[in-house]
Structures are given as structure tokens and as C-alpha cells.
Amino acid sequence: MKPTTLSAETGEVPHDDSRDDDDPITPAETRQEFLKLSRSGYTKVRHRFVQKPGTATRSSRPGTLAKLTRNRRAIILYLALLTNWPWLNREDDPLPAAVWVRFLSSDQPGALTWTKQSVSDAWRQLEDLGLIARTKGRTPAVRPRREDGQTDYKPPTGDNGDSYFTLPHAFWLEGHFATLELPALIVLLILLKESGKTPEAELAIDRAQTWYGISRTTAEEGLTKLRKAGLVHSRERKVRDARSGEGRRRTSLHTLLTPYSTTERAALRSAAKLRVDERASTKFADDEEADGAKPEEAAL
């Protein structure tokens, strides 16, 4: 330890400005601050990221997620971009790679590690799939493209053909982004898509490849890991099926638990709508007051 020296002029200990410096913001604090800026409490992700919608001549088929079944970092980074886009799209300066590293880092046991290079590699893979667009430069600006990589990004509306599911911010705040292994992450996104209206979702293991582009092994392992993490409850039952010789077939039904339950996600959407309505009501009242004021009062 460096010895304390007295000032020759005053005989006092000189003031050390460095003692007034703040400690660097932590990864957890970074996530909390950014998520406050995003406001809604959840991230909107189009269904087509998991599964492309069917048409009159073709049934539903795997979405973009099927192309990322070996790239956990690219999935997480894309979700992070969508999560932060509500406020990032208003910023003049892009976030440096070091900030993305901090947002995605966690000290939890077994957490996925990030470096500037791994962030750069993940951006490149997302760019190759058409999921992002980047400008050139020392700190490139990154913007998302639509979840199927076909067009520029606009927030989903929820209208027919533009359906979306919600990913609660608990995914980031409780560290699941860092600790869920790839199979569990993939199955979580599938179940979020399938359980938007009803708590129980079917994930037929023998149809996982056809419907979602994932192997039977990935589906089984993902469900097992989610159950072990206490995030899903599964049960088996027989359901009616006209194509079955018996007239019914055995299937597995899965219910997402806290913080991803259908009920909790609906509550997040309701709370977000209430905040939007309150802001709109306040603005309307302010506009009405300004319209009724004298010109000089309105100018103030």
C-alpha cells in the first residue's frame, strides 16, 4: 500500500480526486437500466421466427430459428437487439461492442461467456441470414430486420399474418439468457409461441422436425432441461385424431410456469396497454387545456 504523504505547503493530506469516482456499472445494472428504457416489460417476437405460417396450399413450416439451432449466441444477440430496439432506434450513436458484451455477461455458474469477438461473430451470422443490417465503420450501427429476414423491421402489429409472442424481461433480469442451454432456449421460444392463448401447448416429439426444424433429441433435451429449471410442467394424455387407427393418439402437453406463464404474459400486455392509454389520456388533456388557453398562455 502506498504511504500517505503530507503536503509540504499545508501539512495536510492532498485530496485524491480518484476516490470520488464511481465504480463501473455492472452487467446486471446495465440490463436493468436498458430494460427501463424499453418500458413494456416484454419483447415482441413474430411467430414466423419460430414457425412460418401456413397457406391455403401449404401447412406451417420451420421458421428462422431452425437455421440457428447450432448458434446460441446469435439467437440471444438477436433477442437482445429486439428487446432494446424500442429505445435504440431513437439514439444517434450505436452501442459499442463492449456495451453489448456487458449487457450479455453474467456471473452465474455455467453462464455463457461473451467477448467483443464473439459479439462480432454473432452479428456476422445474423447478417448472413438477413436478420440485421449493419453500416460500416469503427462502431457499426446495427438495426434489426424482420424475423424472417425478408424485409426491413417494423414492430409487429398482432394483425392476421403478423402475429407475435412475448418474451418477458424476466428472461434478462433473472439470467435465463445466460444459463439456459441451447436446446432449452429453443424449446422455450417454441412454447412461448404455442401458448399465447392457452396455457397448455403441444410439442409432439415426432413432429418437431417437420413443424419447427429441430431434431427429436433437441426437443426432448430442451423439455428435460426446462423441467429441471422449474420453468415448465409436462403431462401426457390421449387426444382425438381422425388420422389415427384408434381415433385418438397419445401426446405431451406442456405448461410454461413463472415467469413465462400465459397468465403472466397477458398481465404484462395489459399493464403496458394501460400505461399507453394513460399517456394518451394525459396528452389529450394537455392538448385540450392548450386549445382553451389564450394565445400567449399556450405559447408558454
Side-chain angles (χ1 to χ4, degrees):
M1 182 175 180
K2 185 177 179 180
T4 301
T5 57
L6 300 180
S7 169
E9 296 180 359
T10 65
E12 298 177 353
V13 177
H15 181 70
D16 184 357
D17 290 338
S18 65
R19 296 179 183 177
D20 295 332
D21 292 343
D22 290 338
D23 292 331
I25 190 168
T26 67
E29 290 168 339
T30 299
R31 287 189 290 274
Q32 290 171 354
E33 184 169 321
F34 284 4
L35 294 175
K36 285 180 181 178
L37 294 173
S38 297
R39 293 184 179 180
S40 66
Y42 57 83
T43 305
K44 295 179 180 180
V45 184
R46 282 182 171 86
H47 283 183
R48 64 185 66 215
F49 184 65
V50 169
Q51 187 180 51
K52 294 179 181 178
T55 64
T57 59
R58 190 171 184 178
S59 60
S60 299
R61 55 199 190 281
T64 314
L65 184 62
K67 301 176 182 178
L68 293 167
T69 54
R70 294 187 178 183
N71 200 317
R72 181 180 170 193
R73 284 192 178 87
I75 296 172
I76 293 171
L77 187 57
Y78 185 64
L79 293 174
L81 180 59
L82 293 184
T83 295
N84 290 292
W85 192 242
W87 66 271
L88 266 181
N89 68 358
R90 302 190 299 269
E91 295 291 305
D92 294 328
D93 299 320
L95 291 182
V99 177
W100 287 108
V101 170
R102 190 169 66 250
F103 180 87
L104 296 165
S105 294
S106 171
D107 58 4
Q108 296 183 84
L112 186 65
T113 58
W114 290 84
T115 64
K116 292 180 182 179
Q117 185 59 53
S118 62
V119 167
S120 178
D121 291 343
W123 283 140
R124 185 176 65 253
Q125 289 152 357
L126 292 170
E127 190 173 30
D128 290 343
L129 290 174
L131 290 174
I132 67 163
R134 287 193 293 178
T135 61
K136 295 182 178 180
R138 186 177 183 85
T139 305
V142 180
R143 58 182 176 82
R145 285 174 52 80
R146 199 173 70 180
E147 288 87 338
D148 58 3
Q150 297 299 309
T151 66
D152 291 338
Y153 181 81
K154 292 182 180 179
T157 62
D159 295 336
N160 188 33
D162 200 30
S163 301
Y164 65 87
F165 63 87
T166 57
L167 176 68
H169 283 174
F171 178 73
W172 307 103
L173 296 174
E174 297 187 14
H176 298 145
F177 74 95
T179 57
L180 288 180
E181 296 179 27
L182 185 55
L185 174 62
I186 291 170
V187 172
L188 173 63
L189 294 173
I190 291 172
L191 293 180
L192 286 171
K193 183 261 179 185
E194 297 295 353
S195 63
K197 295 181 179 179
T198 57
E200 284 191 318
E202 181 179 4
L203 178 53
I205 300 299
D206 56 343
R207 300 183 186 182
Q209 183 68 52
T210 302
W211 288 356
Y212 309 108
I214 65 172
S215 69
R216 181 188 186 98
T217 300
T218 296
E220 290 177 333
E221 185 179 354
L223 285 168
T224 298
K225 291 183 181 298
L226 287 176
R227 284 194 290 267
K228 186 176 180 180
L231 297 177
V232 71
H233 170 75
S234 303
R235 70 185 182 99
E236 290 192 354
R237 68 183 295 260
K238 289 185 176 181
V239 296
R240 302 176 73 182
D241 189 341
R243 299 184 183 184
S244 169
E246 184 187 340
R248 60 181 184 171
R249 59 181 171 82
R250 183 174 294 280
T251 189
S252 295
L253 297 174
H254 312 283
T255 303
L256 287 169
L257 305 177
T258 299
Y260 302 109
S261 71
T262 301
T263 300
E264 286 168 292
R265 283 179 282 146
L268 286 175
R269 291 194 300 273
S270 296
K273 184 178 184 303
L274 181 61
R275 288 193 296 272
V276 170
D277 291 344
E278 288 177 344
R279 287 198 296 270
S281 177
T282 300
K283 184 178 185 304
F284 177 78
D286 291 343
D287 290 344
E288 286 286 289
E289 184 176 348
D291 289 342
K294 297 179 181 178
E296 62 271 18
E297 292 175 339
L300 293 175

